[in-house]
Amino acid sequence: MDASDVAAHWESNAETWTIYSRAGYDKYRDALNTPAFLEMLPPVAGLEGLDLGCGEGTNTRAVARLGARMTGLDIAPTFVRHAREMEAREPLGIDYVLGDGQSIDFPDASFDFVTAFMSLMDMADQQSVLKGIERVLRPRGFLQFSILHPCFVPPTRKNIRNEAGEAVAVQIADYFDETDGRIERWLFSAIPAEERAGLTPFSIPRFHRTLTSWVSMIVGAGLAIEAFGEPMATSEMALTEPVVADTRIAPIFLHVRARKP
């Protein structure tokens, strides 16, 4: 699967994804993943940043509110359109660009930092992407990204639940299966069942890599890893947002920060 195939899948997802994520149904993002990512992010006020795989722009806007001058890049035209429309309504000084993370089309040393919220795992050639990121970073610039945790969310994963429906364990398999472009189909689980019945599931090409592969690719791109994060829901959050309670059993997300020398 190449970048054009990936683009076609994400373009098919973009309209439904935008509507339902903005309506508050992406509970993992809003309740846990993005807040933890922003808490781990170094100070960015006054810096120039690139949000790679920005989607409809919600996370890009969150970083811009911290004082960064942001550019968002995405491969799906519908995502870019929605992001630009929101920027026109509520300006934060963000420039949204249609482009491919496989070949980041910016001059060398263009940015102080790069963010990638849950996007690198869906790109076909992560090694090339990481090398492109290193190229556009200024000296001492950093990359911070989030992905599905390669150890606990490999291609096959299942929550084990007790009689009350509570997650008590996780069953995983196929950790070493680095198949390119395996299609996963799902919708946000918080969408009401009666509404879900009339929706076409997202079609998401996934490029799973082992933890060893991720570390090797990051180091191979010339970046130095300086922080890991594995967000876990608090007991209070698990009660108010039960959908994220399974992150108290094992992490679903991995956050990584790496810096250019």
Side-chain angles (χ1 to χ4, degrees), residues 18-72:
T18 300
I19 291 169
Y20 285 93
S21 66
R22 288 183 175 179
Y25 290 112
D26 191 351
K27 298 292 186 181
Y28 281 107
R29 181 191 73 179
D30 296 339
L32 179 65
N33 201 20
T34 294
F37 188 102
L38 296 177
E39 184 176 352
M40 179 173 151
L41 196 67
V44 295
L47 302 183
E48 292 186 67
L50 171 66
D51 189 20
L52 191 61
C54 66
E56 42 75 41
T58 292
N59 288 321
T60 321
R61 295 177 66 78
V63 179
R65 290 189 188 99
L66 298 176
R69 299 184 298 275
M70 295 300 295
T71 298

Side-chain angles (χ1 to χ4, degrees), residues 66-108:
L66 298 176
R69 299 184 298 275
M70 295 300 295
T71 298
L73 182 146
D74 201 89
I75 202 169
T78 295
F79 273 147
V80 173
R81 173 174 59 81
H82 279 295
R84 288 173 175 169
E85 288 172 355
M86 179 63 78
E87 174 65 16
R89 291 195 297 271
E90 301 176 18
L92 289 173
I94 303 170
D95 183 22
Y96 290 103
V97 177
L98 180 66
D100 178 8
Q102 301 289 142
S103 52
I104 304 173
D105 191 19
F106 294 100
D108 293 359

Side-chain angles (χ1 to χ4, degrees), residues 16-17 20 25 185-191 195-204:
T16 300
W17 189 288
Y20 285 93
Y25 290 112
R185 301 185 189 278
W186 50 270
L187 289 165
F188 299 130
S189 58
I191 299 174
E195 206 163 342
R196 290 165 60 89
L199 298 174
T200 301
F202 303 133
S203 174
I204 298 177

Side-chain angles (χ1 to χ4, degrees), residues 132-166:
I133 290 170
E134 190 275 340
R135 181 184 64 78
V136 301
L137 280 173
R138 293 170 181 147
R140 299 300 299 159
F142 70 87
L143 160 69
Q144 185 169 308
F145 67 93
S146 56
I147 54 175
L148 289 173
H149 201 303
C151 301
F152 299 103
V153 195
T156 301
R157 181 185 187 276
K158 179 182 178 182
N159 280 336
I160 307 300
R161 299 183 182 275
N162 61 19
E163 292 181 356
E166 300 166 329

